[in-house]
């Protein structure tokens, strides 16, 4: 049986086909957004495997503007939430957080954000009662961003942030406007990897990620037939 104090976490994949131009382009055998959705599903499944011990459960959904072509293209792969196109990111996230205790924000054009980063930040935030936890910093690579907010913090930011505060850029916004009661945290790696980029915002980004993906695939193929399938993991 689940513990009464289980917290609910929602992974929101924020997408807009008019802004994110490369979501339908392939990297390997999958489209860019297919990779992002698969990674969020993996993080969700891994997190829920230990729900009773960790006392939180995770769901995921695709948050898109109304009538976006992404709805028909990806609705069979993940729950979709259509929001009015005039809303900013904060307003959209408030609209989908609903009865969840936490919201984890993932950008659709970050196809190589590893599931373990998502599940790790969710675990740290939920188990330690953070109101805002982020890995966004000047040291971390672009494209691996992950931000977790409590429902209370999300609502507070939505009510208090002005338009010129940058309502679509959550980490600077939360750090600048955080109320006195908010517990804020940031995760930083051991090295400066800011020179790397794993986001897909241009054709050059797409070409670079395709090359990286093929290198990893070539390495994995060297182990085929030599390791059991359970010993080959693509993170």
């Amino acid at each position: 049986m689940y513990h009464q104090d289980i917290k609910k976490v929602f992974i929101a994949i924020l997408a807009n086909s008019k802004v994110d131009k490369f979501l339908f382009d392939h990297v390997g055998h999958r489209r860019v957004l297919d990779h992002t959705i698969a990674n969020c599903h993996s993080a969700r499944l891994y997190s829920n495997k230990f729900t009773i011990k960790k006392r939180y459960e995770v769901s995921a959904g695709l948050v898109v503007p109304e009538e976006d072509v992404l709805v028909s293209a990806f609705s069979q792969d993940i729950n979709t939430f259509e929001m009015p196109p005039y809303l900013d990111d904060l307003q959209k996230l408030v609209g989908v957080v609903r009865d969840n205790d936490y919201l984890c924000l993932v950008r659709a054009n970050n196809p190589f954000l590893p599931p373990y980063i998502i599940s790790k930040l969710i675990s740290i935030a939920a188990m330690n009662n953070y109101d805002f936890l982020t890995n966004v910093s000047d040291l971390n690579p672009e494209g691996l961003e992950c931000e977790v907010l409590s429902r209370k913090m999300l609502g507070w930011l939505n009510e208090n942030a002005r338009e010129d505060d940058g309502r679509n850029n959550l980490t600077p916004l939360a750090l600048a406007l955080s109320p006195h009661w908010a517990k804020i945290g940031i995760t930083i790696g051991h090295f400066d990897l800011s020179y790397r980029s794993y986001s897909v915002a241009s054709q050059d980004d797409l070409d670079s990620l395709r090359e990286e993906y093929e290198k990893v695939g070539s390495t994995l193929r060297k182990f085929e037939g030599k390791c059991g399938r359970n010993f080959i993991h693509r993170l």
Side-chain angles (χ1 to χ4, degrees):
M1 295 179 60
Y2 284 165
H3 193 280
Q4 290 182 348
D5 295 332
I6 284 182
K7 298 172 183 176
K8 298 173 67 176
V9 183
F10 178 69
I11 302 173
I13 305 172
L14 207 56
N16 185 333
S17 64
K18 294 182 179 180
V19 177
D20 306 315
K21 302 293 187 180
F22 300 92
L23 298 182
F24 287 94
D25 287 272
H26 280 71
V27 177
H29 64 287
R30 287 175 169 170
R31 295 167 294 184
V32 167
L33 187 50
D34 287 324
H35 284 284
T36 307
I37 291 173
N39 290 337
C40 289
H41 277 319
S42 294
R44 174 183 61 83
L45 292 171
Y46 178 81
S47 296
N48 288 339
K49 183 177 181 180
F50 303 101
T51 294
I52 296 178
K53 180 180 179 181
K54 294 184 177 179
R55 298 181 182 177
Y56 61 87
E57 58 183 3
V58 182
S59 59
L62 184 64
V63 183
V64 298
E66 291 174 338
E67 300 182 359
D68 196 300
V69 295
L70 298 173
V71 176
S72 58
F74 294 93
S75 60
Q76 292 183 340
D77 304 315
I78 191 170
N79 291 330
T80 56
F81 299 83
E82 296 184 65
M83 306 299 293
Y86 54 82
L87 298 181
D88 60 39
D89 288 355
L90 267 179
Q91 292 169 323
K92 293 174 185 176
L93 298 178
V94 168
V96 298
V97 68
R98 300 182 181 179
D99 63 339
N100 290 281
D101 300 288
Y102 284 93
L103 182 141
C104 175
L105 174 60
V106 172
R107 303 285 178 174
N109 64 338
N110 294 345
F112 290 156
L113 172 61
Y116 68 83
I117 290 182
I118 302 171
S119 60
K120 184 66 174 180
L121 263 70
I122 288 174
S123 177
I124 294 173
M127 296 297 290
N128 296 281
N129 298 313
Y130 277 98
D131 290 291
F132 184 77
L133 182 66
T134 180
N135 70 348
V136 178
S137 79
D138 294 336
L139 298 178
N140 291 337
E142 184 178 351
L144 301 187
E145 298 92 347
C146 186
E147 298 153 305
V148 182
L149 303 88
S150 67
R151 183 174 67 233
K152 181 179 180 181
M153 182 69 170
L154 185 59
W156 191 92
L157 288 174
N158 184 50
E159 292 175 2
N160 290 275
R162 299 168 301 183
E163 185 173 347
D164 58 358
D165 287 328
R167 291 172 57 90
N168 292 336
N169 203 347
L170 292 190
T171 291
L173 184 67
L175 295 180
L177 299 181
S178 59
H180 67 88
W181 48 261
K183 185 176 181 180
I184 307 294
I186 185 169
T187 63
I188 299 177
H190 297 286
F191 305 99
D192 181 0
L193 298 175
S194 58
Y195 62 92
R196 302 299 300 269
S197 177
Y198 298 97
S199 181
V200 185
S202 69
Q203 185 63 48
D204 287 343
D205 291 339
L206 183 64
D207 293 339
S208 176
L209 287 184
R210 283 172 170 166
E211 183 178 347
E212 291 271 346
Y213 190 82
E214 180 54 36
K215 288 180 182 178
V216 175
S218 176
T219 299
L220 288 179
R221 285 191 289 272
K222 294 178 183 178
F223 289 88
E224 290 180 354
K226 299 179 182 179
C227 298
R229 61 179 299 178
N230 292 332
F231 293 92
I232 300 178
H233 301 281
R234 188 162 197 164
L235 299 175

